[in-house]
Amino acid sequence: MDYADITRTNIKSLMKKEHISIRKLAEIIGTSASTLTDSLKSKKGICIDNMMLIAQHFGVSVDLLCDPEFDPDSRALYLQDPSMLAHRFRELDDHGKELVSFVFNKELERVAQEKEIAE
């Protein structure tokens, strides 16, 4: 199973659990339903910006959307125990660590921008 398959499966599981259609999720993240559908079917997968918006909407981290063992029913465990995420990060290969670090840094930039706007 590759990255696109894993994220597609996890996003669809979350959509099913939350009873959200592709059209509604696309509206939430600010894209068209056809673009989201195409991204979910694509071998490349979903762009990182949309992944971050989807993760934010469902209250999970992007790395959970990329986790082949992710269970939407147990996502509260991941959110409550950051040490679990740190442990899983250590298990990643260099590419995985690079991807997670990229997403983490991008999220820190977003939070900093929001703080600037609020001040």
Side-chain angles (χ1 to χ4, degrees), residues 1 3-17 40 54 58 60 62-72 75:
M1 196 177 254
Y3 154 78
D5 288 335
I6 294 166
T7 56
R8 174 180 25 261
T9 299
N10 290 342
I11 290 168
K12 286 183 175 184
S13 294
L14 287 167
M15 290 171 60
K16 184 176 180 179
K17 182 172 175 46
L40 286 171
I54 291 169
F58 287 114
V60 298
V62 173
D63 62 321
L64 287 182
L65 292 179
C66 301
D67 184 349
E69 297 175 18
F70 175 63
D71 175 8
R75 71 179 190 233

Side-chain angles (χ1 to χ4, degrees), residues 32-77:
S32 69
S34 61
T35 298
L36 182 56
T37 300
D38 291 346
S39 295
L40 286 171
K41 291 180 181 178
S42 167
K43 288 184 179 186
K44 288 183 176 181
I46 297 175
C47 74
I48 192 67
D49 291 330
N50 285 344
M51 285 273 288
M52 291 173 69
L53 292 169
I54 291 169
Q56 181 180 14
H57 171 73
F58 287 114
V60 298
S61 60
V62 173
D63 62 321
L64 287 182
L65 292 179
C66 301
D67 184 349
E69 297 175 18
F70 175 63
D71 175 8
D73 294 324
S74 66
R75 71 179 190 233
L77 292 174

Side-chain angles (χ1 to χ4, degrees), residues 66-116:
C66 301
D67 184 349
E69 297 175 18
F70 175 63
D71 175 8
D73 294 324
S74 66
R75 71 179 190 233
L77 292 174
Y78 289 100
L79 297 173
Q80 292 173 359
D81 187 3
S83 66
M84 185 180 291
L85 291 175
H87 175 72
R88 294 188 59 85
F89 180 82
R90 286 191 291 275
E91 295 174 356
L92 295 174
D93 62 11
D94 288 341
H95 175 73
K97 287 179 180 177
E98 186 177 311
L99 179 62
V100 171
S101 294
F102 173 79
V103 171
F104 186 76
N105 289 331
K106 192 155 177 113
E107 184 63 12
L108 286 173
E109 289 174 17
R110 183 192 65 78
V111 169
Q113 287 175 349
E114 285 183 4
K115 284 183 180 178
E116 285 178 15

